[in-house]
Amino acid sequence: MATIEHSAIIKASPERVFALLERVEDFADYSDLIQAIEPLGGDHYRWHVHAVGMDWTFDVAITESRAPKVLAWESLDGVRNQGCYRLTPVEEGTEVALTLTYTIRNRLLEKAVNRAARPLVGKVSRQILERVEARL
């Protein structure tokens, strides 16, 4: 299992930041790599991502939504992954910490994904948080 972490400070209250993060279908507006996110009903979403020269589609379920502190999810198919945004009030606004873990069963594929995933997830996370802050 691999873990990727990223954090940033957003100059807004946790309540305002969380209000944007919980609108999962809007994440397509926050990153160039996310082509679309389809709401499937309840807390389930189908993500369409173009990364490392390939199109990826996977379904995700929100597993925890505790405003304004935690938003967590896990994949339902494709690459097994789980992620969590934790929001903490700080003097400058809100610290947003992302933790993403994933497991790939094929060792050759895992090595390739690991090389690409860390910078890719970092880029997507930075884009999302920068664009969320810009909206606020």
Side-chain angles (χ1 to χ4, degrees):
M1 178 181 343
T3 300
I4 299 172
E5 297 177 322
H6 179 257
S7 65
I9 304 289
I10 295 181
K11 296 175 185 167
S13 70
E15 292 79 11
R16 291 183 64 209
V17 175
F18 190 89
L20 287 181
L21 290 178
E22 74 178 340
R23 293 171 41 193
V24 176
E25 59 274 12
D26 289 350
F27 274 47
D29 297 337
Y30 303 149
S31 174
D32 300 334
L33 301 175
I34 303 169
Q35 295 178 321
I37 300 174
E38 299 173 59
L40 300 175
D43 285 334
H44 292 75
Y45 300 87
R46 179 162 295 138
W47 288 58
H48 299 273
V49 176
H50 183 80
V52 292
M54 297 175 61
D55 290 323
W56 306 77
T57 301
F58 51 92
D59 293 351
V60 169
I62 300 299
T63 57
E64 184 177 4
S65 181
R66 198 165 23 100
K69 297 181 181 195
V70 177
L71 182 66
W73 64 90
E74 69 179 354
S75 64
L76 302 174
D77 60 10
V79 174
R80 295 296 308 154
N81 70 85
Q82 297 176 314
C84 180
Y85 279 114
R86 295 196 184 281
L87 286 69
T88 306
V90 293
E91 190 173 311
E92 302 90 345
T94 302
E95 179 180 22
V96 181
L98 166 68
T99 302
L100 178 69
T101 60
Y102 63 90
T103 305
I104 299 172
R105 291 186 173 84
N106 178 312
R107 286 188 184 265
L108 292 175
L109 183 58
E110 181 178 26
K111 285 184 179 184
V113 169
N114 286 345
R115 277 195 305 273
R118 196 165 305 278
L120 192 62
V121 169
K123 176 183 178 178
V124 170
S125 182
R126 278 190 304 279
Q127 281 183 343
I128 288 170
L129 295 179
E130 286 169 1
R131 292 177 185 179
V132 163
E133 185 170 36
R135 279 214 178 159
L136 291 169

